[in-house]
């Protein structure tokens, strides 16, 4: 699963469905926060860092790690692929 596909699913209009899929990945809270702010709420990493009162480097690290974790967790989920296609 490519990063663009992960982001497309994170922006899917059904919040409960995306929330459920996120629980399957069991992300650490920092990664989940970075994903929610940057991918779902479309904040820049700078805005997310300010919101979380953390450095931009930390948010970038959490975001990248979260995306990689989601790629691995969702790679075998056929229903996610069908939703975004």
């Amino acid at each position: 699963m490519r990063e663009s596909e992960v982001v497309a699913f994170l922006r899917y209009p059904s919040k409960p469905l995306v929330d459920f899929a996120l629980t399957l990945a069991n992300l650490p809270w920092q990664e989940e926060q970075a994903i929610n702010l940057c991918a779902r709420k479309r904040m820049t990493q700078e805005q997310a860092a300010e919101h979380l009162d953390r450095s931009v480097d930390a948010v970038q690290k959490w975001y990248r790690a979260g995306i990689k974790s989601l790629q691995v967790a969702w790679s075998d989920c056929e229903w996610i692929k069908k939703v975004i296609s």
Side-chain angles (χ1 to χ4, degrees), residues 10-11 15 33-44 47-48 51:
L10 288 166
R11 293 180 178 167
K15 184 182 180 326
Q33 287 295 315
I35 293 294
N36 281 327
L37 294 174
C38 296
R40 294 181 79 182
K41 294 186 179 181
R42 301 176 188 220
M43 285 186 182
T44 65
Q47 291 169 326
H51 180 80

Side-chain angles (χ1 to χ4, degrees), residues 24 26 29 39 41-42 54 57-58 61 64:
L24 296 176
N26 198 28
W29 70 269
K41 294 186 179 181
R42 301 176 188 220
R54 298 290 190 259
D57 288 341
K61 182 178 106 178
R64 288 183 189 133

Side-chain angles (χ1 to χ4, degrees), residues 49-79:
E50 185 176 321
H51 180 80
L52 295 170
D53 196 28
R54 298 290 190 259
S55 71
V56 175
D57 288 341
V59 172
Q60 287 174 342
K61 182 178 106 178
W62 298 335
Y63 179 79
R64 288 183 189 133
I67 290 292
K68 286 181 184 178
S69 295
L70 293 174
Q71 287 173 312
V72 170
W74 293 349
S75 64
D76 294 331
C77 293
E78 290 299 319
W79 63 272

